[in-house]
């Protein structure tokens, strides 16, 4: 089955290899499944090199509430599968749908010009377009696409292609089967972060989100529900509690991205530049960082989420991928 997906529903995909085929389940059907399932709520799992983050929202009178938020560290260098299985048991989540956010190291995000083909043929055409850009054979790849907003492409029909090894999809599904969860969707960091900011940040001019982990940064430019630009970069940040942000390096990376966003994509500067990630806190945002840009510069504040106040801010920062993934399902609608 071929489907050209919008940015809003890309992270609501399940790659289901029943009978050797690949089916795509839309957001609407996931919402229907949620309404008729057990009261597990919306469950997100964020995968990263250090372990798993887990977040669960439950329905409430005032809207979805963040009920669980955990970070499970790798054990002896191996993913904490046994610990995840224990949490599934403790929270009585056996059989619950799980929305997974992939680490950036597990997928390729490629910006390409879409061939002039009918929409139903686009996905297959993009497969051949990115063939030589992948570090593995095309026949081993699971690929999907989502478009850039027309106003960002200066008349060209540009799309993002998301690719990952199909074997990795099957490995994740098998792991979730082992711990008692069902793979409901596979999402990418850019869209998990988009899901999150849509709920708690308002700015008509858009948002530049800078997500930092040890030695790595991810910069995402968002406007409304659309991802305009995504860039990864190396950064001299050890991500410790008392480690300062490398302001000179971050300013340079931001200036490069914002210059491209404004000059090449024809966009106005974003209204906010928000930092988040491992041990990123407000006291690390210096006057130098704030004064380097016309936009407001601050940390991403997740406290507006109902239930977030009971969790430490450092834990919430670690769990951002899981929180954003949990918002995929519509438990937050």
């Amino acid at each position: 089955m071929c489907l050209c997906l919008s940015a809003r529903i890309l992270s609501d995909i399940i790659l289901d290899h029943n009978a050797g085929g690949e089916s795509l389940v839309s957001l609407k059907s996931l919402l229907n499944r949620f309404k008729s399932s057990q009261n597990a709520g919306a469950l997100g799992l964020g995968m990263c090199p250090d372990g798993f983050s887990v977040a669960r929202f439950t329905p409430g009178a005032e809207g979805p509430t963040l009920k669980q938020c955990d970070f499970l560290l790798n054990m002896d260098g191996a993913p904490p599968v046994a610990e995840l299985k224990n949490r599934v048991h403790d929270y009585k989540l056996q059989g619950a749908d799980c929305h997974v956010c992939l680490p950036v190291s597990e997928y390729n995000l490629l910006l390409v010009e879409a061939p002039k083909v009918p929409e139903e043929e686009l996905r297959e055409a993009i497969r051949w377009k990115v063939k030589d850009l992948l570090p593995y054979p095309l026949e081993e790849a699971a690929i999907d696409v989502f478009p850039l907003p027309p106003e960002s492409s200066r008349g060209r029909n540009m799309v993002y292609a998301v690719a990952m090894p199909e074997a990795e999809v099957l490995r994740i599904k098998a792991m979730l089967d082992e711990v008692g969860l069902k793979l409901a969707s596979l999402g990418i960091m850019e869209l998990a972060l988009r899901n999150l900011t849509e709920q708690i940040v308002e700015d008509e001019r858009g948002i530049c989100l800078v997500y930092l982990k040890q030695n790595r940064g991810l910069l995402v430019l968002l406007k409304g529900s659309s991802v305009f630009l995504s860039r990864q970069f190396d950064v001299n940040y050890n991500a410790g509690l008392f480690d300062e942000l490398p302001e000179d390096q971050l300013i340079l990376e931001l200036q490069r991205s914002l210059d491209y966003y404004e000059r090449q994509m024809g966009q106005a500067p974003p209204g906010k530049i928000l930092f988040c990630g491992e041990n990123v806190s407000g006291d690390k945002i210096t006057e130098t960082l704030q004064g380097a840009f016309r936009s407001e510069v601050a940390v991403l504040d997740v406290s507006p989420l109902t239930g977030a106040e009971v969790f430490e801010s450092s834990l919430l920062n670690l769990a951002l991928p899981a929180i954003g993934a949990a918002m995929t399902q519509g438990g937050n609608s």
Side-chain angles (χ1 to χ4, degrees), residues 12-71:
D12 305 309
I13 296 169
I14 175 174
L15 300 177
D16 186 9
H17 295 259
N18 292 331
E22 184 178 273
S23 63
L24 302 178
V25 178
S26 70
L27 175 60
K28 182 178 179 180
S29 60
L30 285 173
L31 284 171
N32 291 336
R33 184 191 303 174
F34 171 73
K35 291 174 183 177
S36 62
S37 68
Q38 72 271 35
N39 294 322
L43 178 65
L45 176 69
M47 303 176 69
C48 77
D50 302 324
F52 297 152
S53 57
V54 182
R56 181 167 72 102
F57 287 88
T58 56
E62 298 182 359
T65 298
L66 184 61
K67 190 69 173 180
Q68 268 91 32
C69 184
D70 293 300
F71 190 84

Side-chain angles (χ1 to χ4, degrees), residues 138-163:
L138 180 64
E139 57 270 20
E140 297 177 7
I143 296 176
D144 230 303
V145 300
F146 65 95
L148 262 73
E151 66 269 25
S152 70
S153 305
R154 297 187 182 275
R156 301 168 67 194
N157 184 15
M158 304 298 293
V159 299
Y160 275 115
V162 183

Side-chain angles (χ1 to χ4, degrees), residues 123-233:
R123 190 158 166 262
E124 186 62 27
I126 290 295
R127 286 181 63 87
W128 291 102
K129 184 106 177 180
V130 303
K131 176 181 178 182
D132 296 329
L133 302 176
L134 300 176
Y136 43 82
L138 180 64
E139 57 270 20
E140 297 177 7
I143 296 176
D144 230 303
V145 300
F146 65 95
L148 262 73
E151 66 269 25
S152 70
S153 305
R154 297 187 182 275
R156 301 168 67 194
N157 184 15
M158 304 298 293
V159 299
Y160 275 115
V162 183
M164 67 180 296
E166 188 173 301
E168 183 64 13
V169 177
L170 298 178
R171 185 191 69 81
I172 293 170
K173 185 178 185 302
M175 181 198 72
L176 292 182
D177 288 343
E178 179 182 347
V179 303
L181 298 173
K182 296 178 182 178
L183 176 60
S185 70
L186 283 174
I188 61 176
M189 276 293 302
E190 288 84 353
L191 296 183
L193 293 172
R194 186 282 314 274
N195 293 346
L196 179 57
T197 56
E198 273 194 303
Q199 298 294 323
I200 60 177
V201 183
E202 293 184 5
D203 198 297
E204 293 182 356
R205 291 169 52 196
I207 301 161
C208 178
L209 198 63
V210 184
Y211 178 77
L212 299 174
K213 297 281 286 183
Q214 186 176 25
N215 299 323
R216 294 294 294 167
L218 174 66
L219 183 150
V220 186
L221 277 155
L222 305 163
K223 188 184 290 185
S225 62
S226 297
V227 175
F228 277 67
L229 181 66
S230 173
R231 282 189 61 239
Q232 296 182 44
F233 56 92

Side-chain angles (χ1 to χ4, degrees), residues 78-93:
V81 177
E83 183 62 21
L84 178 60
K85 188 173 184 178
N86 290 338
R87 299 302 170 95
V88 170
H89 178 269
D90 293 343
Y91 297 156
K92 298 179 173 57
L93 297 175

Side-chain angles (χ1 to χ4, degrees), residues 13 35 45 51 69 106 113 125 141 161 231 242 253 273 280 292-293:
I13 296 169
K35 291 174 183 177
L45 176 69
C69 184
E106 294 295 335
E113 186 168 5
R231 282 189 61 239
F242 300 108
E253 293 292 346
I273 298 173
V280 175
F293 305 100

